Amino acid sequence: MCELFEVARSSYHYRIKNKGKVNLDRERLKKRIIEIHTEGREAPGSRSIAGKLNQEGENIGRTKTSNIMKEADIKSKQPGKSKHKDTGGESKIAPNLLKREFNVSKENQIWCGDVTYIWAGDQWLYLAVVMDLYKRKIVGWACSDSPNTDLTCAALRVAYESRGKPKDVIFHSDQGCHYTSLQYRQNLWEYQITQSMSRRGNCWDNAVMESFYSRLKVELIYAEQYRSIDEARSGIFEYIEVFYNRLRRHSALGYVSL
């Protein structure tokens, strides 16, 4: 029978010998894995959970973690694959200075920004975010019922003032009209920030922001049904300021929080 089902004899005898027995160490690990999964808003997968457990002193690999997750019937919330593709060249307003070099050596060296939208009851709420690439921290954000330049300028102003008005920062974004407008470029000039832009239609040139919004939607938006603008603002504040900037473990940082 073992040969027929391609099962090792040792595995068969181990199963018979231990049938009905409770592995206390495995049950302890399962409980902790469920806790980490819950704390991470059901987003962490086997790789990040194993990384967290090893930081806590456990000796566990991704495969064992994945098996225990299956036993506990928990899965990682993952976004779907992007369907975007390269479609255009560089902007005439600003070159692509970032060139997908997302790992930087110090804070306030390169900031990235983007805008997304969230359904809130009976209207859209627009969110603009500024991220410091050094530790993937959100240093500025703003919400509005309109995706105009005032929104992106407000997020930039928050980032600039909260970081102590730094100099020689590069700000990277896509070629959206709220970033190419005269008002926004004047703000960058006033703050002495150098502008950089992705190639047209190329989401990979600003992949860190695409990734952030993907995680935001999976870990927050899709799980909620906001009934008003105020309710959505409150949820976004809690996600960014409490969870993302303080508790969430980032793969780019070796699965440690900020």
Side-chain angles (χ1 to χ4, degrees):
M1 291 295 290
C2 287
E3 291 177 359
L4 178 63
F5 291 102
E6 298 182 347
V7 175
R9 291 188 179 186
S10 59
S11 297
Y12 170 76
H13 289 296
Y14 178 85
R15 175 65 176 171
I16 295 299
K17 182 180 179 181
N18 292 280
K19 187 176 182 180
K21 292 183 179 180
V22 177
N23 187 325
L24 296 179
D25 186 60
R26 194 176 184 86
E27 290 301 313
R28 178 184 61 81
L29 283 173
K30 184 187 295 186
K31 180 181 178 181
R32 183 60 186 133
I33 286 172
I34 294 173
E35 290 174 350
I36 295 172
H37 186 256
T38 303
E39 291 167 1
R41 294 172 178 259
E42 302 181 3
S46 58
R47 182 183 287 108
S48 58
I49 292 177
K52 168 61 175 173
L53 289 171
N54 280 290
Q55 289 171 3
E56 295 178 352
E58 301 287 353
N59 183 15
I60 186 171
R62 183 183 178 188
T63 300
K64 183 175 180 179
T65 303
S66 178
N67 290 335
I68 296 177
M69 289 177 69
K70 290 178 182 178
E71 291 176 12
D73 194 26
I74 57 176
K75 297 180 180 179
S76 169
K77 288 184 178 178
Q78 297 293 338
K81 293 183 178 180
S82 173
K83 297 181 180 179
H84 297 290
K85 60 181 180 179
D86 296 356
T87 57
E90 289 195 357
S91 168
K92 295 180 180 179
I93 292 176
N96 181 10
L97 300 176
L98 182 57
K99 296 181 179 179
R100 302 187 185 179
E101 295 293 333
F102 301 121
N103 295 320
V104 299
S105 58
K106 60 181 180 180
E107 66 179 22
N108 300 327
Q109 182 177 353
I110 298 178
W111 293 350
C112 289
D114 202 355
V115 176
T116 194
Y117 49 90
I118 298 154
W119 185 248
D122 57 356
Q123 66 181 112
W124 292 107
L125 175 68
Y126 297 91
L127 170 66
V129 164
V130 178
M131 174 190 289
D132 188 331
L133 280 187
Y134 176 57
K135 286 190 175 180
R136 306 296 198 268
K137 184 174 184 178
I138 303 304
V139 294
W141 61 279
C143 293
S144 173
D145 58 3
S146 176
N148 55 25
T149 304
D150 289 338
L151 171 64
T152 49
C153 285
L156 180 66
R157 182 174 62 254
V158 172
Y160 180 68
E161 293 178 353
S162 68
R163 280 302 177 97
K165 302 181 179 180
K167 305 297 182 183
D168 302 321
V169 178
I170 293 176
F171 177 83
H172 184 83
S173 70
D174 59 23
Q175 296 185 36
C177 60
H178 28 258
Y179 293 117
T180 60
S181 69
L182 178 61
Q183 178 186 348
Y184 196 81
R185 288 183 286 137
Q186 285 177 334
N187 272 202
L188 291 173
W189 178 84
E190 179 185 348
Y191 299 155
Q192 298 181 38
I193 294 175
T194 303
Q195 190 168 23
S196 169
M197 284 189 164
S198 303
R199 289 166 292 177
R200 181 170 295 279
N202 194 318
C203 65
W204 305 111
D205 286 350
N206 201 13
V208 288
M209 288 307 309
E210 296 285 345
S211 176
F212 169 75
Y213 281 136
S214 177
R215 300 318 313 173
L216 170 73
K217 291 177 180 179
V218 168
E219 298 171 5
L220 177 69
I221 306 305
Y222 296 156
E224 303 290 342
Q225 292 184 347
Y226 294 121
R227 293 168 293 181
S228 67
I229 290 289
D230 289 340
E231 192 175 290
R233 287 178 190 270
S234 178
I236 292 168
F237 174 86
E238 191 276 335
Y239 179 85
I240 293 177
E241 300 295 348
V242 179
F243 177 69
Y244 188 87
N245 275 351
R246 299 185 184 186
L247 301 176
R248 192 182 193 280
R249 299 183 179 277
H250 301 265
S251 59
L253 305 179
Y255 298 105
V256 298
S257 58
L258 297 177

